[in-house]
Amino acid sequence: MSDSVSSPIILHVPHASRLIPAHARTGIVLTDPDLEHELDCMTDSFTDVIAQRAVHTVVASGTSAPAVVQAPVSRLVVDVERFTDGSEPMEEVGMGAIYTKTHDRRRLPEHVDNELLGRYFRPHARDIECAVGEALAEHHRVVIIDVHSYPTRHLPYELAAQDAPRPSICLGTDTAHTPPWLVSAAHEAFGAFELAFDSPSAGTYVPLRFYGTDARVSSIMIEVRRDQHMDERTISPHGRLARVADALADLVSLAHQGGA
C-alpha cells in the first residue's frame, strides 16, 4: 500500500498476484503445470503494471499520486473481494473467499484451510479500510477504482450468460456508491474503447465497514478485456497496455476533480 495519504483516490488491485506461498501450495492438488495454467486463466495479469503506469502518468502531470492497495497473494489462495458471511454468490461455483474449484470446475485444494483468512484476507481488509479511513479524514471523500481484467473467451466458472457482452472495457457500478459524476468520468476517460456497464461482471468494491452506510465513499470497477493489454496465449504484455494505463490515469485525474 502507498504511504501517501495526500490523495482521495485509491487504486485497488486484488487479483494481479501469482504468488502461491509454499504452505498454501501443499494443499493444492493440481500438478505444477496444471497450477500454472490455472494461474494463467484466473490471474488478472499486469493489472498491477497498468495501475503503476497510471500512477506515474498522474504524478508527471502534477496531480498527487493515488494510493495503491494490492492483494499480497494469488486469488487461488484467498480472494480478498469475496463475502465471508455465507452470502457470497460465487460460492455456488466453488469460488468464495477460499476457492475449492478451478475455472473448469475441478477440485483445487485437498481441504479448505480457513487459517488463510486470518493470514491474508483480514489483513488486506484492514489495509483497504485504513486507506479509505485516512482519505476520509483528510479529504472527507474517497474514490475507489477497482482494477480488474477478464478473458476474451467465457470460462466455465463464470456465472454470466455465455452470450453476455464482453466489451473492451466493462465498467462495474453500485447503486449506492457509484454516483453519476463518476460514471460520466469513467465514460470520458475510456471513451476511445468499446464500453459496457456491468457486463460481463457487475458491481464494484467497497469495504464492508463503509458499504451502504457512508455516501462519501465512491467506487467504480474497471474490467479490462485481456486482449486489450496482453497476449493471452503467452501471458505477456503488449504495446497497447500503455493506452489502457493512460485512460486509467485520465480517470484518476477526473476523479480528483469530480467529487470536489
Side-chain angles (χ1 to χ4, degrees):
M1 184 172 70
S2 169
D3 291 332
S4 173
V5 294
S6 61
S7 171
I9 317 300
I10 298 170
L11 297 181
H12 186 226
V13 186
H15 296 152
S17 177
R18 293 177 69 96
L19 177 62
I20 309 283
H23 67 86
R25 176 65 181 99
T26 59
I28 293 175
V29 301
L30 301 180
T31 65
D32 286 347
D34 282 350
L35 179 56
E36 284 301 303
H37 179 63
E38 189 66 16
L39 285 166
D40 290 347
C41 291
M42 295 301 296
T43 305
D44 288 353
S45 298
F46 312 112
T47 51
D48 53 345
V49 177
I50 291 170
Q52 290 298 337
R53 288 191 63 154
V55 169
H56 294 156
T57 299
V58 167
V59 171
S61 73
T63 302
S64 62
V68 179
V69 182
Q70 297 180 213
V73 294
S74 168
R75 67 195 297 187
L76 302 185
V77 179
V78 293
D79 191 328
V80 297
E81 288 205 329
R82 302 300 198 225
F83 294 114
T84 58
D85 61 357
S87 66
E88 175 54 56
M90 293 301 290
E91 291 278 7
E92 179 183 335
V93 291
M95 291 186 174
I98 299 176
Y99 291 6
T100 60
K101 300 290 185 181
T102 65
H103 78 281
D104 53 359
R105 312 302 298 275
R106 292 178 295 154
R107 187 175 63 170
L108 181 63
E110 186 67 38
H111 64 276
V112 173
D113 182 1
N114 286 313
E115 290 185 2
L116 296 171
L117 296 176
R119 188 175 294 206
Y120 299 112
F121 185 96
R122 295 187 186 100
H124 180 84
R126 287 194 294 269
D127 282 349
I128 188 80
E129 286 182 359
C130 181
V132 170
E134 288 174 346
L136 290 175
E138 185 168 350
H139 302 283
H140 311 293
R141 70 182 186 98
V142 63
V143 179
I144 301 168
I145 302 175
D146 198 26
V147 185
H148 293 257
S149 73
Y150 69 95
T152 301
R153 294 187 176 183
H154 185 280
L155 294 177
Y157 81 92
E158 293 183 74
L159 294 176
Q162 291 274 350
D163 57 353
R166 300 179 81 80
S168 301
I169 301 290
C170 164
L171 302 175
T173 65
D174 180 87
T175 54
H177 291 279
T178 311
W181 72 262
L182 184 53
V183 171
S184 297
H187 200 281
E188 179 178 345
F190 288 92
F193 294 84
E194 174 196 17
L195 295 175
F197 287 90
D198 295 309
S199 178
S201 298
T204 186
Y205 180 77
V206 176
L208 285 178
R209 174 181 160 194
F210 304 97
Y211 185 71
T213 61
D214 197 329
R216 299 174 299 167
V217 180
S218 301
S219 181
I220 193 164
M221 177 174 68
I222 308 299
E223 284 256 18
V224 184
R225 197 178 67 209
R226 291 176 186 167
D227 64 339
Q228 297 300 299
H229 69 283
M230 63 178 280
D231 183 317
E232 293 174 270
R233 181 181 61 84
T234 62
I235 315 299
S236 57
H238 57 53
R240 284 181 289 162
L241 182 148
R243 181 172 176 248
V244 177
D246 286 346
L248 181 59
D250 288 343
L251 177 55
V252 170
S253 297
L254 291 167
H256 268 285
Q257 307 163 19

